[in-house]
Amino acid sequence: PVVVVAQVTSTPDKEQNFAACVALVREAAERGAGLVFLPEAFDFIGRDAAQTLSMAEPLDGDLMGRYAQLARDCGVWLSLGGFHERGHDWATTQRIYNCHALLGHDGRLVAAYRKAHLCDVELEGRVSMRESSFTNPGTELVAPVPTPAGKLGLSVCYDLRFPELSLALRRAGAEILTFPSAFTVPTGSAHWE
């Protein structure tokens, strides 16, 4: 099967981001894709933590519903690599999850992995990031998911720094390891090297 990895430059404008993702997914489907990967924060990147929290949605919300319809319309699997999810505990924690959602070609939510390793980094004079200040860490490894391209092991971005997660996914049968990312240039360059 044809697999497409799409890249977008997300903004705080969810509609603009959705339109860009729709265009990429439709083009991928027209080219015969069976599985399309979108990056971490495909839905939006907020200007700050407060805006990010205010814009987050549950997995059964409007935006994910529109992605499910897109998967059905195009007949493709969608790997949505980092959805800002208001989880079941939103009312008590007021924190979100960084959720890698996998939709089947029928739009059904096949799996949801919540990022376990949150990126807290301070590079003096370059970047300061504390994902843990507004995000809950996930607590479960998701078993590899059979897809048309093989068994996917789901993870997100900073999880890359923790090889035990990849080893556990591989031992569980993963044939493809995924690390959808929105690394900053200062924090990401060495990882991709």
Side-chain angles (χ1 to χ4, degrees):
V2 175
V3 174
V4 170
V5 177
Q7 183 62 48
V8 296
T9 301
S10 293
T11 71
D13 185 335
K14 288 165 92 171
E15 290 306 313
Q16 177 183 322
N17 301 334
F18 182 70
C21 290
V22 166
L24 290 168
V25 170
R26 289 191 191 283
E27 180 182 351
E30 289 168 8
R31 293 179 179 218
L35 175 60
V36 180
F37 290 87
L38 292 175
E40 181 183 29
F42 68 94
D43 52 348
F44 67 89
I45 291 185
R47 286 185 286 277
D48 54 34
Q51 184 182 47
T52 298
L53 291 171
S54 73
M55 294 173 63
E57 296 184 24
L59 282 176
D60 62 357
D62 175 66
L63 186 60
M64 192 58 71
R66 293 194 291 160
Y67 276 98
Q69 187 61 52
L70 178 64
R72 281 190 294 275
D73 290 348
C74 294
V76 298
W77 285 64
L78 290 178
S79 168
L80 303 173
F83 178 73
H84 296 89
E85 177 200 5
R86 281 192 183 184
H88 64 283
D89 56 358
W90 168 254
T92 57
T93 68
Q94 295 295 295
R95 292 172 181 249
I96 61 173
Y97 291 91
N98 189 340
C99 181
H100 185 164
L102 184 65
L103 303 179
H105 64 87
D106 57 0
R108 178 179 51 93
L109 180 66
V110 176
Y113 164 75
R114 289 157 184 97
K115 183 178 176 185
H117 302 100
L118 303 180
C119 185
D120 288 352
V121 64
E122 184 75 40
L123 298 175
E124 198 170 318
R126 292 170 57 199
V127 67
S128 177
M129 183 183 319
R130 291 202 36 84
E131 189 176 20
S132 66
S133 69
F134 61 93
T135 305
N136 290 315
T139 59
E140 296 178 350
L141 183 72
V142 172
V145 181
T147 73
K151 290 183 180 178
L152 291 186
L154 303 180
S155 58
V156 180
C157 197
Y158 196 64
D159 286 330
L160 179 70
R161 299 218 27 160
F162 302 87
E164 296 83 3
L165 174 64
S166 295
L167 291 170
L169 287 169
R170 182 64 190 105
R171 278 190 219 108
E175 298 167 311
I176 302 167
L177 298 177
T178 59
F179 296 96
S181 301
F183 272 116
T184 65
V185 172
T187 61
S189 297
H191 296 91
W192 305 128
E193 179 65 27

